[in-house]
Amino acid sequence: MAMAALALHQPLPWRTRSRTLIPRSTHLRSQKARLLFTVCSSSTPSEPSTQTPESCVNTGLSLFKKGRVKDALVQFESALDLNPNPKEAQVALYNKACCHAYRGEGRQAASCLRTALRDYNLKFSTILNDPDLASFRASPEFKELQDEARQGGEDVGYGFRRDLKLISEVQAPFRGVRRFFYVALSAAAGISMFFTVPRFIRAINGGEGAPDIWETAGNAAINIGGIVILVALFIWDNKKEEEQLAQISRDETLSRLPLRLSTNRIVELVQLRDSVRPVILAGNKETVTRAIEKAERFRTELVKRGVILVPVIWGENRQASLERKGFGLPAKAATSLPSIGEDFDKRTQSITAKSRLQAEVRFKAEIVSPNEWERWIRDQQKSEGVNPGDDVYIILRLDGRVRRSGKVYMMHHRSC
């Protein structure tokens, strides 16, 4: 379910094996680690137990693990009523949102997450990564919350938008330079207009020493045209940036979608980066089945090239969900591979883990959380001007980004 809390100055809620509410010195080792709270007992049996935000959160987490979601929700609400500190408030709000999501109460879950994002520095990537919020991520309320976070604002803060803009600057490093020239040249044209207008008025009035009216009018026209063009380019660049931020947000959502491999192992798409080229086939059962049958003719060649088919059949809401243990992924699920910047041992383990993962990848994988997959595909269709619900294919790059997409009937010829 829920992650617990963020330690001070740390970006994500994590779980460790510590038995205290907020560990004072903890080294995070994995993106899947979570901070686990335990129920605190009173100091002596004779002393009356007093509720604190910490004890309420710990009790709530314990109740949730036992499946008593309603009782856990009461505990998290009690923690918020006891004047918690910022860390405790973030923990309580996030876990309360997870309880609402588990009960199918999307609006209440979104409200809690908005408050945590705005007031307590919750990272939006936490919401994207938590398997226990899978049902919420497939709801309209999540789409609304994600759009708000991408645009930034007082309701959800600017943290997520700031992270997206950093990625955008890496992908389009010269956008800032272009904007500088747009502004500088517009300002120069404006200053020129400041002197041209009086000259134009003198030219119209005529008289001795008056400037040539046609020359002055030409200069004014050039300045006005330049300002119009530069402003239009600035607006166009802003529009392209917003489209890029939306695509980066969709790519981040896509990277966290889960798959079940042929060995029954569940992984996220991000774990397949640099290993395989997923091809998503989405449509009705007949269309997807026919596409897979045609691809079977080239199975050997496609497997050599690292292609893995991911069929998504509209409306087939198979509940092949992750096993619920109260927190995070099941123990057998794969963890994220270490980054290349970590020490040699971890890089070696990363290579070994990736090799094992490649051995498990076969020609086809089964989706987990179909509602999440369908919502992402429909959002991608809207962004490309395709009617949501059409039968489509989406080819991904090795780095996990979308390479090409189109109608399924086109894929029949191109895959050959």
Side-chain angles (χ1 to χ4, degrees):
M1 153 198 167
M3 300 187 195
L6 298 181
L8 190 59
H9 302 312
Q10 293 191 357
L12 297 174
W14 306 95
R15 182 203 293 184
T16 69
R17 300 194 185 217
S18 171
R19 298 189 62 82
T20 59
L21 175 63
I22 300 168
R24 296 189 180 275
S25 58
T26 304
H27 239 341
L28 305 181
R29 303 181 77 73
S30 159
Q31 267 195 332
K32 294 298 179 185
R34 309 285 179 95
L35 180 62
L36 175 61
F37 294 105
T38 55
V39 182
C40 300
S41 57
S42 56
S43 56
T44 61
S46 59
E47 293 179 1
S49 60
T50 57
Q51 279 194 328
T52 64
E54 176 182 347
S55 66
C56 288
V57 170
N58 290 334
T59 303
L61 293 175
S62 177
L63 291 170
F64 185 87
K65 290 180 69 175
K66 297 175 183 178
R68 296 168 58 184
V69 180
K70 185 177 180 180
D71 294 335
L73 186 58
V74 172
Q75 291 296 321
F76 297 135
E77 290 173 345
S78 298
L80 293 171
D81 292 336
L82 294 173
N83 193 27
N85 63 38
K87 299 175 191 175
E88 295 165 339
Q90 188 198 71
V91 176
L93 281 167
Y94 186 85
N95 286 283
K96 182 182 175 185
C98 289
C99 287
H100 285 305
Y102 187 81
R103 288 158 58 93
E105 299 166 348
R107 291 206 171 276
Q108 292 92 321
S111 177
C112 293
L113 293 173
R114 276 191 185 90
T115 305
L117 287 165
R118 181 187 65 232
D119 298 335
Y120 301 107
N121 199 32
L122 176 67
K123 291 289 185 179
F124 198 84
S125 56
T126 303
I127 303 171
L128 292 173
N129 296 344
D130 193 349
D132 294 305
L133 287 176
S135 60
F136 173 69
R137 288 194 294 267
S139 68
E141 289 81 10
F142 171 75
K143 178 64 167 60
E144 181 181 343
L145 180 65
Q146 187 178 36
D147 289 342
E148 291 178 18
R150 175 172 55 83
Q151 295 170 6
E154 295 181 358
D155 289 341
V156 293
Y158 293 90
F160 186 52
R161 181 174 177 82
R162 186 165 52 248
D163 294 341
L164 292 177
K165 284 180 76 68
L166 289 174
I167 300 173
S168 174
E169 289 173 7
V170 172
Q171 296 182 3
F174 298 108
R175 177 177 286 123
V177 176
R178 290 198 305 269
R179 286 178 174 173
F180 171 79
F181 280 109
Y182 295 155
V183 173
L185 293 174
S186 296
I191 293 172
S192 179
M193 278 297 297
F194 179 78
F195 294 102
T196 302
V197 170
R199 285 175 57 83
F200 187 65
I201 294 174
R202 286 175 56 199
I204 292 175
N205 293 332
E208 185 178 354
D212 182 73
I213 187 170
W214 294 110
E215 180 183 354
T216 307
N219 291 337
I222 291 172
N223 288 327
I224 293 173
I227 292 173
V228 170
I229 292 173
L230 291 168
V231 169
L233 287 173
F234 189 88
I235 294 173
W236 174 83
D237 218 337
N238 279 344
K239 181 181 178 182
K240 286 299 180 181
E241 182 186 38
E242 291 301 321
E243 291 176 358
Q244 187 182 39
L245 294 179
Q247 185 60 53
I248 293 171
S249 179
R250 285 193 298 272
D251 289 344
E252 176 64 19
T253 302
L254 172 65
S255 70
R256 299 302 174 184
L257 294 178
L259 285 173
R260 191 186 303 277
L261 302 180
S262 58
T263 56
N264 209 36
R265 183 183 184 188
I266 294 175
V267 298
E268 294 177 339
L269 268 181
V270 67
Q271 295 170 249
L272 301 180
R273 284 181 180 173
D274 302 324
S275 301
V276 298
R277 294 179 174 87
V279 177
I280 302 169
L281 302 172
N284 60 53
K285 189 171 185 178
E286 180 183 358
T287 303
V288 173
T289 301
R290 187 169 64 250
I292 292 176
E293 288 174 354
K294 292 194 175 185
E296 281 281 357
R297 303 174 189 173
F298 312 96
R299 180 187 183 110
T300 302
E301 183 65 23
L302 292 174
V303 170
K304 284 182 180 178
R305 295 185 179 186
V307 173
I308 182 172
L309 300 184
V310 181
V312 180
I313 299 175
W314 298 133
E316 191 171 278
N317 294 324
R318 294 161 292 173
Q319 297 303 318
S321 58
L322 300 173
E323 179 186 356
R324 187 179 72 82
K325 294 178 182 271
F327 300 86
L329 287 166
K332 294 182 180 179
T335 57
S336 296
L337 298 174
S339 68
I340 201 67
E342 296 180 359
D343 58 64
F344 177 79
D345 290 339
K346 288 189 177 180
R347 290 201 301 271
T348 304
Q349 293 172 8
S350 173
I351 295 171
T352 303
K354 189 175 293 187
S355 299
R356 291 175 180 172
L357 191 60
Q358 283 181 312
E360 294 183 45
V361 172
R362 297 295 183 267
F363 184 59
K364 187 172 66 171
E366 177 187 359
I367 63 170
V368 180
S369 301
N371 287 333
E372 276 194 86
W373 278 91
E374 287 191 25
R375 190 189 71 81
W376 181 87
I377 294 171
R378 292 178 191 276
D379 286 346
Q380 184 68 20
Q381 288 176 320
K382 289 178 183 177
S383 72
E384 297 186 0
V386 178
N387 294 327
D390 282 357
D391 300 339
V392 296
Y393 73 93
I394 302 173
I395 300 176
L396 305 183
R397 302 174 187 269
L398 280 173
D399 62 5
R401 292 184 296 165
V402 175
R403 178 183 180 183
R404 189 172 71 243
S405 62
K407 296 293 185 71
V408 169
Y409 69 83
M410 295 172 59
M411 189 277 305
H412 297 167
H413 300 290
R414 294 186 180 182
S415 63
C416 298

